[in-house]
Amino acid sequence: MRRRLPETLVILALICVTFLASLSAQELTEIERAGVEDWYRRTTERTGDGQWGIAIGTMTGRVLWSINSELELIPASTVKLFTVGFTRARAGGGARISTRVIGRGSLDTASGRWRGSWQLELGGDPTLERAGRAGPTLRELARQLYVRGIRELEGPLALTSRTGPAASRYPTAWSADFAGQLYAPPVGPVTLHENTISLTVRPGRDVGSPPTLVSAYPAGVERLIRMNATTVGGNRRRLILIAHADGGWTLGGTLGLYARPAGISAVAHEPGSVLAYSWAAALERVGIQWVNRNAPPPSGPGLPSVLAKVESAPFDSVAVEINRRSLNIGAELVLQWAAASQISGPSLLTQHVRDVVGPRAQVRLVDGSGLSDLDRVSPLTQMLYLARYPQLAGAERFPLLLPANGIGSLRNLRHGMGRGVVHAKTGTLDRVATLAGYLGRPDGVLVISLMYNGRRTHAARAAEWELFRLLGAEGVNLSGALDTHMGGSSSQEEEADTAQVLR
């Protein structure tokens, strides 16, 4: 007598079979395949002697169309996909980066004086102290000290991190040509306002007078600015910020008497100096005196305790912004945070990609942002990573951490398909144009890696947009496609398990 399977198991088995059948049926139609072949022929003519590597597959990792898919190319900012995945796997989507004041000593309640040592423990939060953007502030950190009753701190500013003394520096893996650019500031635990400064100045009252500083971010940086600019006739502006070894700047040049208020930004080449002045400003604004700043650090009895603490938004929110803005310092900082090291992050990241992809992985990464032209990855490796990472427990919605078509780095992909059909990441360097991500379709989700290394990056980028429009003309919202078609891997082991249930 045959045993009858419980009804719930039968239903589960039927669902599994239906899902696996839909996956095996997912293909490019003959018309689409012919369109892709024609697109590639025209694209190679337009992009000259550059190198193309392409892999188009399914969420099971099955390749539907490819060319040079195992060629190791420079991925540029699509490396951020790996960095976000690595950090999320280690820390979790809800993890937060903290900035704390640690003290050892006691509070004199009568005077409000902290008797003992104190220090700032920095986590390398890329959202700390930013003008016009969400994130924790030094002022909130200082306000918590005030609420505890602290009215006076003594001694120098000591900076630490989870891994020891805190410092930020320009990554050696980045080209020296990028140093000083706003997209390539120093990286490390000492980070606020994304390690940049922003000033707004307006013309002086008369020709020959210095311009007036309207605002400075982060707060306190105005004390590091030496004004050497001049108000002149007319309405033109020629302003320049000249950096000094002490961490400050001289604002030089001219600003027309009838010009509108002008903004100017620069990289914080000595983030420690900026942090010291910003911390002083924060303490001053909440009513705390900071005395004897150059005296030896006072000692205090007892174990260290947390006097104040602020935190970033949950990691998933930070990851969305890093991908949307292609924020290099953000990617580098979360890599260091997840790796608990300022050095070993790239090697751990490389191993993570190999662990997810398996033996076919072809990847060598030297940074977490993709700003280095020493990074290498094959399109097949990138496609397989994007297909397999969401199969990990709790990572099913990973594709939605990438910007949707029409916003952020995908703002030029506004036309030709509905909003939310594509979630992808671009990568751009002088000789690199890459695009990788997900495309929702009625029959499933396509995973696409397009990599071009060569001189004609503008033509290559336009061609990449064109291919996504070609394949996404009948696309559906990716979120709905994930809900419908994400059900796990179609591995041989799982297929065997399903067959066992049916017998």
Side-chain angles (χ1 to χ4, degrees):
M1 180 176 176
R2 297 185 62 183
R3 292 177 56 194
R4 187 172 182 179
L5 289 172
E7 184 178 352
T8 54
L9 285 181
V10 173
I11 294 173
L12 177 61
L14 290 175
I15 291 174
C16 291
V17 169
T18 302
F19 172 72
L20 293 172
S22 68
L23 290 177
S24 63
Q26 188 179 355
E27 293 285 355
L28 298 179
T29 66
E30 290 186 10
I31 294 177
E32 287 173 332
R33 184 174 291 275
V36 173
E37 297 282 357
D38 179 63
W39 167 86
Y40 183 68
R41 177 186 57 77
R42 291 182 287 105
T43 294
T44 52
E45 291 175 356
R46 285 183 290 174
T47 54
D49 56 358
Q51 291 181 305
W52 275 99
I54 300 170
I56 302 172
T58 70
M59 289 295 283
T60 65
R62 185 163 57 91
V63 177
L64 301 179
W65 193 93
S66 66
I67 191 79
N68 299 329
S69 65
E70 298 193 47
L71 183 64
E72 294 188 18
L73 297 169
I74 304 172
S77 278
T78 57
V79 167
K80 293 181 176 71
L81 301 173
F82 304 139
T83 300
V84 166
F86 169 75
T87 302
R88 198 177 192 280
R90 284 216 162 189
R96 299 171 185 265
I97 305 174
S98 63
T99 304
R100 309 191 299 179
V101 180
I102 307 295
R104 185 193 298 267
S106 61
L107 175 65
D108 184 335
T109 55
S111 65
R113 184 175 185 179
W114 177 255
R115 297 186 179 277
S117 62
W118 60 276
Q119 59 191 13
L120 284 183
E121 182 187 86
L122 304 165
D125 181 358
T127 69
L128 178 65
E129 196 71 38
R130 303 186 303 174
R133 297 188 184 276
T137 64
L138 294 177
R139 188 172 182 179
E140 171 57 24
L141 204 62
R143 189 194 68 81
Q144 291 181 28
L145 296 179
Y146 187 89
V147 169
R148 291 181 70 100
I150 296 175
R151 300 294 183 270
E152 183 178 295
L153 290 174
E154 181 182 10
L157 176 62
L159 304 178
T160 65
S161 71
R162 289 190 305 161
T163 56
S168 295
R169 57 183 180 275
Y170 186 79
T172 57
W174 291 356
S175 169
D177 295 339
F178 300 148
Q181 300 296 323
L182 293 176
Y183 57 79
V187 175
V190 185
T191 295
L192 70 164
H193 201 255
E194 298 173 7
N195 278 348
T196 65
I197 67 162
S198 299
L199 311 177
T200 302
V201 296
R202 64 169 179 251
R205 290 182 176 274
D206 305 296
V207 171
S209 64
T212 300
L213 189 63
V214 177
S215 64
Y217 297 100
V221 77
E222 65 275 4
R223 299 175 184 177
L224 284 166
I225 304 299
R226 305 162 195 171
M227 185 65 70
N228 196 33
T230 305
T231 302
V232 297
N235 58 9
R236 302 185 67 179
R237 52 164 285 185
R238 295 188 179 87
L239 297 174
I240 184 173
L241 274 172
I242 302 170
H244 298 291
D246 63 0
W249 294 264
T250 292
L251 179 65
T254 59
L255 183 63
L257 183 64
Y258 305 107
R260 295 179 178 180
I264 186 169
S265 299
V267 165
H269 54 290
E270 292 291 341
S273 294
V274 175
L275 179 61
Y277 280 91
S278 294
W279 178 238
L283 292 173
E284 182 178 328
R285 289 187 179 188
V286 302
I288 296 177
Q289 287 187 299
W290 184 10
V291 300
N292 299 326
R293 302 182 193 181
N294 297 320
S299 59
L303 297 174
S305 60
V306 177
L307 303 180
K309 176 182 177 180
V310 294
E311 294 181 310
S312 70
F315 173 72
D316 277 355
S317 296
V318 176
V320 167
E321 182 179 352
I322 288 171
N323 285 329
R324 178 173 52 82
R325 295 177 54 208
S326 203
L327 186 62
N328 293 318
I329 188 173
E332 299 294 347
L333 288 176
V334 298
L335 176 60
Q336 292 184 4
W337 173 59
S341 169
Q342 296 188 57
I343 299 173
S344 62
S347 61
L348 293 174
L349 178 62
T350 301
Q351 187 58 49
H352 163 76
V353 176
R354 290 173 179 157
D355 291 341
V356 172
V357 171
R360 301 188 69 178
Q362 295 170 283
V363 57
R364 292 173 292 152
L365 302 175
V366 299
D367 69 356
S369 62
L371 194 57
S372 175
D373 59 8
L374 300 177
D375 292 316
R376 292 292 186 277
V377 68
S378 73
L380 179 61
T381 296
Q382 192 169 67
M383 187 276 285
L384 290 174
Y385 181 89
L386 293 178
R388 291 174 178 170
Y389 187 90
Q391 311 296 336
L392 303 179
E396 297 83 1
R397 310 294 284 179
F398 172 78
L400 302 182
L401 298 182
L402 282 60
N405 53 305
I407 64 174
S409 58
L410 265 66
R411 59 187 176 276
N412 291 328
L413 195 56
R414 291 189 294 267
H415 309 295
M417 66 186 74
R419 179 73 171 270
V421 171
V422 173
H423 281 253
K425 182 74 190 73
T426 60
T428 306
L429 290 172
D430 288 342
R431 294 176 61 87
V432 180
T434 56
L435 179 60
Y438 305 88
L439 192 158
R441 288 159 47 108
D443 64 336
V445 178
L446 291 184
V447 187
I448 303 173
S449 174
L450 308 176
M451 303 184 71
Y452 172 80
N453 288 182
R455 295 181 295 109
R456 300 183 181 180
T457 54
H458 293 293
R461 176 70 75 223
E464 291 167 352
W465 297 141
E466 182 184 344
L467 180 62
F468 265 79
R469 292 189 183 98
L470 171 67
L471 296 174
E474 304 297 328
V476 299
N477 186 280
L478 180 66
S479 179
L482 288 172
D483 290 338
T484 302
H485 297 280
M486 276 291 289
S489 168
S490 63
S491 67
Q492 292 180 352
E493 290 81 4
E494 288 179 334
E495 292 178 6
D497 292 342
T498 303
Q500 182 67 38
V501 171
L502 290 173
R503 282 200 290 268

